[in-house]
Amino acid sequence: MSSSDRNLSQVEGASLENAADFRFGIVWSEWNLEVTEALKNGALKTLLAAGAKEENIIVRTVPGSFELTLGAQYLAEYSKVDAIICLGCVIQGETRHFDFICDAVAKGITNLNIKYNKPFIFGVLTPDNQQQALDRSGGKHGNKGDEAAITAIKMLSLAKSFKSSRSLGF
């Protein structure tokens, strides 16, 4: 089914673990504020609904999506978070700037996952226009912030399952 036919935030699969024992960082871009603030609010709402404690969530802003990588690295280095959710929006324009920013941010966040061995969640919208961004930040296609929060919890649950298996001798 194409994304134009459904709410993308209706996540299927394994049930969500209670997030009460996890610590989260959220770094979000101020650029495209109407969209990114909705993403941040969606992520916060979802984490709290999953049992995360408000005092275990650190939220920081960066000027634009390009700065998400360094902002996320700061969260990893200067706080004790288990997962970091990176939220931004880069709307396609008339120049190749879009391509360079999207590529840099995707690679940067991927590298942080590997460097720190913890989930850094890519919650960056890359729509063709403002309406698509609105549709994916609380509109008809759900909220990518919700999806990013769910992904963070699921990745922490996965890591926890490996740690439990190792302690059992697997």
Side-chain angles (χ1 to χ4, degrees):
M1 176 182 302
S2 79
S3 63
S4 64
D5 297 331
R6 64 187 178 105
N7 179 330
L8 300 173
S9 293
Q10 295 174 341
V11 179
E12 299 173 1
S15 63
L16 208 54
E17 182 170 337
N18 185 298
D21 295 331
F22 299 133
R23 295 176 311 267
F24 299 91
I26 297 175
V27 60
W28 64 287
S29 166
E30 295 173 324
W31 194 261
N32 291 316
L33 186 63
E34 179 182 9
V35 173
T36 59
E37 190 168 41
L39 296 173
K40 184 241 334 171
N41 291 339
L44 280 170
K45 175 188 64 93
T46 298
L47 291 174
L48 294 170
K53 298 173 188 158
E54 196 167 341
E55 62 269 19
N56 289 342
I57 304 171
I58 298 171
V59 180
R60 297 291 186 269
T61 59
V62 294
S65 291
F66 185 80
E67 292 79 23
L68 286 170
T69 302
L70 185 56
Q73 181 172 313
Y74 287 160
L75 273 173
E77 291 184 359
Y78 302 122
S79 65
K80 295 184 180 202
V81 294
D82 301 306
I84 298 169
I85 300 166
C86 305
L87 301 170
C89 178
V90 184
I91 298 173
Q92 176 69 59
E94 296 177 8
T95 69
R96 294 190 53 217
H97 180 75
F98 172 88
D99 299 320
F100 295 122
I101 298 299
C102 294
D103 186 55
V105 175
K107 286 178 180 173
I109 292 172
T110 298
N111 289 336
L112 291 173
N113 279 278
I114 296 163
K115 178 179 179 179
Y116 290 96
N117 195 32
K118 66 173 62 180
F120 286 77
I121 308 305
F122 185 82
V124 179
L125 295 177
T126 57
D128 290 329
N129 56 55
Q130 180 74 11
Q131 187 58 54
Q132 287 179 351
L134 294 171
D135 288 346
R136 288 161 177 77
S137 60
K140 68 181 181 180
H141 293 304
N143 189 318
K144 185 73 172 175
D146 296 340
E147 296 167 41
I150 290 166
T151 300
I153 296 167
K154 286 187 173 192
M155 290 303 294
L156 290 172
S157 296
L158 176 64
K160 185 176 170 183
S161 76
F162 282 110
K163 290 173 185 173
S164 296
S165 296
R166 187 174 15 177
S167 69
L168 295 174
F170 291 109

